[in-house]
Amino acid sequence: MKNGGMPSALLLPVITCAAVLLLSGIAKLRDPATVDTAFSSLGVPRAVDTRLVRRVFPWVEIALGAWLLLATGPALVVVALVTLALFVAYLVLVVRAVRQPEPVDCGCFGALGDSEVT
């Protein structure tokens, strides 16, 4: 570790999270209807499920992904905590979806891949 940089062992998780956020955000921008489907089928709380949030959400994912790649020092800690909070929220929504009696379609990665939560 030189000049206060990040240990190389921590780079892979940061780069992986950034890649997931960037890919997800870009895929959602290419097919905005999947965001509406995901918010609806995953049961996103009403306080968060607004048209504005659904339209801004892909941009938030892209910004977080870019910020993870560019931030250093205390800013990296902040973006890592925000990313962790987002991923925990995703985990809660996915666990709830998996427990539903009927399959749930998500579109969590836009039009990429299978949209059914398994």
Side-chain angles (χ1 to χ4, degrees):
M1 186 164 66
K2 271 180 149 179
N3 300 328
M6 184 184 313
S8 59
L10 296 179
L11 285 176
L12 185 59
V14 170
I15 291 170
T16 301
C17 288
V20 167
L21 287 166
L22 290 166
L23 177 68
S24 176
I26 291 167
K28 286 177 179 122
L29 282 178
R30 294 186 68 196
D31 191 0
T34 59
V35 177
D36 297 332
T37 300
F39 271 58
S40 174
S41 62
L42 290 173
V44 171
R46 284 186 175 188
V48 182
D49 188 7
T50 66
R51 179 170 169 70
L52 175 63
V53 170
R54 285 183 264 131
R55 292 303 162 250
V56 171
F57 193 70
W59 293 106
V60 170
E61 286 185 326
I62 291 168
L64 277 175
W67 195 14
L68 274 173
L69 294 175
L70 300 173
T72 60
L76 181 57
V77 173
V78 170
V79 73
L81 290 173
V82 171
T83 301
L84 176 62
L86 179 62
F87 284 2
V88 167
Y90 288 163
L91 178 63
V92 169
L93 292 171
V94 168
V95 167
R96 283 184 16 197
V98 169
R99 291 183 174 175
Q100 296 294 324
E102 297 295 320
V104 174
D105 284 334
C106 169
C108 298
F109 286 95
L112 297 176
D114 186 13
S115 65
E116 188 174 302
V117 178
T118 58

